[in-house]
Amino acid sequence: MTSLVKTWKAAQTRLKDAGIDSPAIDARLLLEAAADVSRLDILNDPYRELTPEQLDRYDAWLARRLAREPVARILGRKAFWKILLNVTPDVLVPRPDTETVVETALSAFPEGTSFNMVDMGVGSGAILLSILAERPGARGLGTDISEDAIAVARDNAASLGLADRAAFLRTGWADGLADASFDLVTSNPPYIRSAEIAELDEEVRAHDPHLALDGGADGLDAYRALVPETLRILKPLGVFVVETGWDQAEQVKALFAQAGFENLRIVQDLGARDRVVTGTRPA
């Protein structure tokens, strides 16, 4: 038998020695789930002993983490913005960088406003559901080419109590959507250059769906498809917010400018990297 604190510290050491970036956090998250305890339990009752079953589960999960499987993949869930999402191998694990999309969109639609939005390439539903959770007057549609991703997003909407305001459609970007029908368009499309996929961290390369990563030779293929569709489905003066790679924002901004969008600007993420391009459709 071993205590919570002893187990946690030993796991931290193993993860740190293996070069895992956040050993203390990862060890704690896995321990909380394996032993069915909270962070406060670990702090306030550090000498509580794990059962053999809990310890076996923890050791198995720790081995997977040491093999570079992300914690979110091991646990099947990921915290994003202010919500908790279920994730499967069919969707990207949402990352903190993408919260910049949510923050930018919310700043354009203050509390109390009602609006209709679409998130193209909805994945787990991270962007769409975070915005709907913050704006009770909003309704939204998530589109994705993957039926499996749609299923994950739909389940997340139900578990968050948002199923009555969120709809989902399997389609390519905005195929089949009516002209001038949305106040807000968001997207986190694939933007990794094809040749760079093999150079990604193993945690991304081996566990995220390549369909959601590969943006073509220059990483901009998805934007070339998104720009005209965004212009078509946005209402006059409607807002778009899209995520980009850290070195692509100027190029993406130029694509939207060429299409006639106005009030274009680039927003940086918490790491001070260009992350989002936003603007409005002309009146």
Side-chain angles (χ1 to χ4, degrees):
M1 301 288 281
T2 182
S3 67
L4 289 173
V5 67
K6 183 178 179 180
T7 303
W8 183 26
K9 288 184 176 180
Q12 286 183 56
T13 299
R14 291 180 65 188
L15 292 174
K16 184 177 180 179
D17 290 347
I20 301 295
D21 287 340
S22 50
I25 294 174
D26 289 3
R28 175 177 58 79
L29 290 173
L30 292 174
L31 181 58
E32 288 173 4
D36 192 23
V37 296
S38 68
R39 183 178 184 180
L40 285 178
D41 290 330
I42 299 173
L43 295 174
N44 296 333
D45 191 12
Y47 300 107
R48 181 191 302 183
E49 292 188 341
L50 282 75
T51 68
E53 293 79 15
Q54 290 171 341
L55 190 58
D56 286 346
R57 182 160 56 240
Y58 189 59
D59 287 343
W61 287 352
L62 191 62
R64 290 168 64 181
R65 185 69 190 103
L66 288 167
R68 291 301 193 278
E69 185 174 353
V71 170
R73 295 292 182 205
I74 297 170
L75 300 182
R77 61 179 185 263
K78 174 69 174 178
F80 177 83
W81 192 249
K82 300 176 184 178
I83 62 177
L84 185 64
L85 296 159
N86 294 320
V87 294
T88 74
D90 304 300
V91 298
L92 285 177
V93 172
R95 293 170 174 79
D97 294 341
T98 303
E99 293 185 352
T100 308
V101 175
V102 176
E103 187 174 22
T104 303
L106 291 174
S107 69
F109 294 88
E111 291 185 32
T113 55
S114 297
F115 57 94
N116 192 30
M117 70 170 289
V118 61
D119 183 42
M120 295 188 286
V122 70
S124 67
I127 294 172
L128 174 67
L129 300 176
S130 294
I131 293 172
L132 294 185
E134 294 275 350
R135 297 291 183 265
R139 302 184 68 84
L141 172 68
T143 70
D144 207 291
I145 197 170
S146 167
E147 187 64 51
D148 293 324
I150 290 289
V152 174
R154 186 178 286 115
D155 286 347
N156 280 325
S159 66
L160 292 165
L162 297 170
D164 60 331
R165 292 191 287 121
F168 300 94
L169 178 67
R170 182 182 181 275
T171 190
W173 302 123
D175 291 351
L177 303 187
D179 294 357
S181 54
F182 295 97
D183 304 290
L184 170 65
V185 170
T186 60
S187 187
N188 175 21
Y191 54 72
I192 306 298
R193 297 172 182 87
S194 299
E196 296 175 357
I197 298 288
E199 302 169 11
L200 294 173
D201 289 343
E202 183 180 351
E203 295 181 11
V204 175
R205 184 185 70 250
H207 297 284
D208 277 336
H210 285 202
L211 180 68
L213 296 172
D214 194 338
D218 63 358
L220 301 177
D221 282 359
Y223 300 100
R224 295 188 182 94
L226 283 174
V227 170
E229 287 291 77
T230 300
L231 184 66
R232 181 180 67 80
I233 65 175
L234 265 181
K235 296 176 183 178
L237 301 181
V239 177
F240 77 87
V241 185
V242 298
E243 181 171 334
T244 73
W246 66 272
D247 60 349
Q248 297 168 321
E250 289 292 350
Q251 293 170 285
V252 173
K253 181 182 175 184
L255 290 173
F256 279 98
Q258 291 164 12
F261 284 88
E262 300 174 345
N263 304 310
L264 294 166
R265 62 189 179 95
I266 294 170
V267 183
Q268 293 187 327
D269 60 23
L270 290 176
R273 294 161 298 200
D274 291 347
R275 185 59 60 190
V276 159
V277 174
T278 185
T280 57
R281 177 185 164 174

